[in-house]
Amino acid sequence: GVGGQDVVFVPYEDGPAGPFDSIAYLDRLLTDPSSGVELPAAVIVEPMQMEGGVYPATADWLRRLRALTERHGILLICDEIQSGCGRTGTFFCFEHAGITPDVVTVAKSIGGLGLPLALTLFRRELDVWAPGEHTGTFRGNQLAFVAATAACQLWGQEQFRTGLAVAVRRLARFRDDLAATVPGLVLRGRGMALGVDLGAVGGAERAERVQRYAFANGVIVELCGRYDEVVKVLPPLTIDIVRLDRGLAVLRDALLAG
């Protein structure tokens, strides 16, 4: 890459500065012999940017990215560490685009009970590892493997999938209500992930006040975005509707309190 760096960063489809045609930009970098960028081994993408401020990629953009990487023989790696394991309604966030990545990174929720576990999934023909070769401190342990197996088995239960669909609809309704009630809010997300962007209405200071109010009333929310101006709402996928409604009511009050 440029200046001997191993990584070239390209703007996301959407962000605080607005939309950007990153696929066309990538295409130009890869097809122009004077761009200064060598053909990369892989493109790494979050199907929904989480720490960046909860920015979901559109299905069309992900499909264009998959087509571009296939055309140039580049591996597509989807980072599903926060957006995977059912967070967006489907098990993987990229599923809504109908694409098949070459490599998928999975961690965090895959541990089932919050136990440390990380997985790297890749196409069988890419498997060059010998048994036991892929080692590391946080790869997992026996208890985490059992918990992860139980968590994955939930997806075979119709009751769980139905409950998740109900919760997703409830969060979507909350999002619509917020948009109508609190002027200036920008709301983004997919499934059981909601970003409440206060960038234009109070910024990081207001986001911190919302977080503090929520915590004082029994609800934990994270802050994300470039300046911690986005309240990140990630209810448990196994939450019952009564508890979900109670938590969302606290958040609504926190936002109305300013």
Side-chain angles (χ1 to χ4, degrees), residues 111 115 117 141-153:
L115 296 169
L117 179 61
N141 56 59
Q142 284 83 343
L143 183 57
F145 297 147
V146 172
T149 302
C152 289
Q153 285 170 349

PDB file of all heavy atoms in Angstrom, residues 111 115 117 141-153:
ATOM      1  N   GLY A 111     -20.040 -16.888  22.904  1.00  0.00           N
ATOM      2  CA  GLY A 111     -19.719 -17.574  24.153  1.00  0.00           C
ATOM      3  C   GLY A 111     -20.931 -17.949  24.989  1.00  0.00           C
ATOM      4  O   GLY A 111     -20.786 -18.590  26.034  1.00  0.00           O
ATOM      5  N   LEU A 115     -18.990 -15.927  28.058  1.00  0.00           N
ATOM      6  CA  LEU A 115     -17.701 -16.588  28.257  1.00  0.00           C
ATOM      7  C   LEU A 115     -16.782 -16.308  27.066  1.00  0.00           C
ATOM      8  O   LEU A 115     -17.250 -16.168  25.940  1.00  0.00           O
ATOM      9  CB  LEU A 115     -17.909 -18.097  28.414  1.00  0.00           C
ATOM     10  CG  LEU A 115     -18.706 -18.501  29.663  1.00  0.00           C
ATOM     11  CD1 LEU A 115     -19.100 -19.961  29.591  1.00  0.00           C
ATOM     12  CD2 LEU A 115     -17.886 -18.247  30.926  1.00  0.00           C
ATOM     13  N   LEU A 117     -14.753 -16.580  23.930  1.00  0.00           N
ATOM     14  CA  LEU A 117     -14.663 -17.514  22.811  1.00  0.00           C
ATOM     15  C   LEU A 117     -14.586 -16.710  21.527  1.00  0.00           C
ATOM     16  O   LEU A 117     -15.294 -15.708  21.377  1.00  0.00           O
ATOM     17  CB  LEU A 117     -15.888 -18.445  22.788  1.00  0.00           C
ATOM     18  CG  LEU A 117     -15.956 -19.482  21.660  1.00  0.00           C
ATOM     19  CD1 LEU A 117     -14.773 -20.435  21.730  1.00  0.00           C
ATOM     20  CD2 LEU A 117     -17.252 -20.276  21.736  1.00  0.00           C
ATOM     21  N   ASN A 141     -12.506 -22.149  25.845  1.00  0.00           N
ATOM     22  CA  ASN A 141     -12.203 -23.225  26.785  1.00  0.00           C
ATOM     23  C   ASN A 141     -13.403 -24.167  26.799  1.00  0.00           C
ATOM     24  O   ASN A 141     -14.436 -23.891  26.162  1.00  0.00           O
ATOM     25  CB  ASN A 141     -11.906 -22.670  28.180  1.00  0.00           C
ATOM     26  CG  ASN A 141     -13.044 -21.811  28.705  1.00  0.00           C
ATOM     27  OD1 ASN A 141     -14.172 -22.281  28.839  1.00  0.00           O
ATOM     28  ND2 ASN A 141     -12.764 -20.554  29.010  1.00  0.00           N
ATOM     29  N   GLN A 142     -13.290 -25.265  27.528  1.00  0.00           N
ATOM     30  CA  GLN A 142     -14.333 -26.285  27.471  1.00  0.00           C
ATOM     31  C   GLN A 142     -15.705 -25.743  27.866  1.00  0.00           C
ATOM     32  O   GLN A 142     -16.722 -26.040  27.230  1.00  0.00           O
ATOM     33  CB  GLN A 142     -13.954 -27.474  28.371  1.00  0.00           C
ATOM     34  CG  GLN A 142     -12.877 -28.376  27.778  1.00  0.00           C
ATOM     35  CD  GLN A 142     -11.468 -27.856  28.028  1.00  0.00           C
ATOM     36  OE1 GLN A 142     -11.272 -26.699  28.358  1.00  0.00           O
ATOM     37  NE2 GLN A 142     -10.481 -28.728  27.858  1.00  0.00           N
ATOM     38  N   LEU A 143     -15.750 -24.937  28.929  1.00  0.00           N
ATOM     39  CA  LEU A 143     -17.035 -24.396  29.391  1.00  0.00           C
ATOM     40  C   LEU A 143     -17.636 -23.461  28.337  1.00  0.00           C
ATOM     41  O   LEU A 143     -18.843 -23.497  28.076  1.00  0.00           O
ATOM     42  CB  LEU A 143     -16.850 -23.649  30.721  1.00  0.00           C
ATOM     43  CG  LEU A 143     -18.120 -23.090  31.368  1.00  0.00           C
ATOM     44  CD1 LEU A 143     -19.146 -24.190  31.624  1.00  0.00           C
ATOM     45  CD2 LEU A 143     -17.780 -22.360  32.674  1.00  0.00           C
ATOM     46  N   ALA A 144     -16.774 -22.645  27.711  1.00  0.00           N
ATOM     47  CA  ALA A 144     -17.248 -21.740  26.666  1.00  0.00           C
ATOM     48  C   ALA A 144     -17.792 -22.516  25.470  1.00  0.00           C
ATOM     49  O   ALA A 144     -18.793 -22.132  24.861  1.00  0.00           O
ATOM     50  CB  ALA A 144     -16.115 -20.812  26.223  1.00  0.00           C
ATOM     51  N   PHE A 145     -17.144 -23.638  25.135  1.00  0.00           N
ATOM     52  CA  PHE A 145     -17.620 -24.451  24.017  1.00  0.00           C
ATOM     53  C   PHE A 145     -19.016 -25.013  24.312  1.00  0.00           C
ATOM     54  O   PHE A 145     -19.892 -25.035  23.442  1.00  0.00           O
ATOM     55  CB  PHE A 145     -16.662 -25.614  23.724  1.00  0.00           C
ATOM     56  CG  PHE A 145     -15.288 -25.173  23.290  1.00  0.00           C
ATOM     57  CD1 PHE A 145     -14.169 -25.917  23.622  1.00  0.00           C
ATOM     58  CD2 PHE A 145     -15.116 -24.019  22.543  1.00  0.00           C
ATOM     59  CE1 PHE A 145     -12.898 -25.520  23.220  1.00  0.00           C
ATOM     60  CE2 PHE A 145     -13.857 -23.613  22.133  1.00  0.00           C
ATOM     61  CZ  PHE A 145     -12.744 -24.362  22.477  1.00  0.00           C
ATOM     62  N   VAL A 146     -19.230 -25.457  25.549  1.00  0.00           N
ATOM     63  CA  VAL A 146     -20.537 -26.007  25.935  1.00  0.00           C
ATOM     64  C   VAL A 146     -21.607 -24.912  25.889  1.00  0.00           C
ATOM     65  O   VAL A 146     -22.698 -25.106  25.362  1.00  0.00           O
ATOM     66  CB  VAL A 146     -20.460 -26.644  27.345  1.00  0.00           C
ATOM     67  CG1 VAL A 146     -21.856 -27.030  27.835  1.00  0.00           C
ATOM     68  CG2 VAL A 146     -19.548 -27.865  27.330  1.00  0.00           C
ATOM     69  N   ALA A 147     -21.262 -23.732  26.433  1.00  0.00           N
ATOM     70  CA  ALA A 147     -22.214 -22.615  26.446  1.00  0.00           C
ATOM     71  C   ALA A 147     -22.544 -22.161  25.029  1.00  0.00           C
ATOM     72  O   ALA A 147     -23.708 -21.863  24.708  1.00  0.00           O
ATOM     73  CB  ALA A 147     -21.639 -21.454  27.259  1.00  0.00           C
ATOM     74  N   ALA A 148     -21.520 -22.111  24.162  1.00  0.00           N
ATOM     75  CA  ALA A 148     -21.734 -21.693  22.772  1.00  0.00           C
ATOM     76  C   ALA A 148     -22.628 -22.683  22.037  1.00  0.00           C
ATOM     77  O   ALA A 148     -23.504 -22.300  21.252  1.00  0.00           O
ATOM     78  CB  ALA A 148     -20.397 -21.555  22.059  1.00  0.00           C
ATOM     79  N   THR A 149     -22.414 -23.969  22.299  1.00  0.00           N
ATOM     80  CA  THR A 149     -23.246 -25.005  21.672  1.00  0.00           C
ATOM     81  C   THR A 149     -24.707 -24.833  22.089  1.00  0.00           C
ATOM     82  O   THR A 149     -25.617 -24.909  21.260  1.00  0.00           O
ATOM     83  CB  THR A 149     -22.750 -26.403  22.067  1.00  0.00           C
ATOM     84  OG1 THR A 149     -21.373 -26.533  21.676  1.00  0.00           O
ATOM     85  CG2 THR A 149     -23.564 -27.497  21.387  1.00  0.00           C
ATOM     86  N   ALA A 150     -24.926 -24.563  23.391  1.00  0.00           N
ATOM     87  CA  ALA A 150     -26.291 -24.350  23.881  1.00  0.00           C
ATOM     88  C   ALA A 150     -26.916 -23.105  23.250  1.00  0.00           C
ATOM     89  O   ALA A 150     -28.092 -23.105  22.877  1.00  0.00           O
ATOM     90  CB  ALA A 150     -26.276 -24.223  25.404  1.00  0.00           C
ATOM     91  N   ALA A 151     -26.111 -22.044  23.103  1.00  0.00           N
ATOM     92  CA  ALA A 151     -26.612 -20.814  22.489  1.00  0.00           C
ATOM     93  C   ALA A 151     -27.016 -21.057  21.036  1.00  0.00           C
ATOM     94  O   ALA A 151     -28.062 -20.575  20.572  1.00  0.00           O
ATOM     95  CB  ALA A 151     -25.553 -19.718  22.569  1.00  0.00           C
ATOM     96  N   CYS A 152     -26.206 -21.817  20.306  1.00  0.00           N
ATOM     97  CA  CYS A 152     -26.522 -22.123  18.908  1.00  0.00           C
ATOM     98  C   CYS A 152     -27.764 -23.004  18.801  1.00  0.00           C
ATOM     99  O   CYS A 152     -28.547 -22.880  17.846  1.00  0.00           O
ATOM    100  CB  CYS A 152     -25.326 -22.791  18.229  1.00  0.00           C
ATOM    101  SG  CYS A 152     -23.941 -21.676  17.940  1.00  0.00           S
ATOM    102  N   GLN A 153     -27.958 -23.875  19.783  1.00  0.00           N
ATOM    103  CA  GLN A 153     -29.144 -24.746  19.767  1.00  0.00           C
ATOM    104  C   GLN A 153     -30.435 -23.960  19.942  1.00  0.00           C
ATOM    105  O   GLN A 153     -31.508 -24.406  19.510  1.00  0.00           O
ATOM    106  CB  GLN A 153     -29.012 -25.816  20.854  1.00  0.00           C
ATOM    107  CG  GLN A 153     -28.018 -26.918  20.482  1.00  0.00           C
ATOM    108  CD  GLN A 153     -27.695 -27.851  21.638  1.00  0.00           C
ATOM    109  OE1 GLN A 153     -28.048 -27.566  22.796  1.00  0.00           O
ATOM    110  NE2 GLN A 153     -27.030 -28.957  21.351  1.00  0.00           N
TER     111      GLN A 153
END
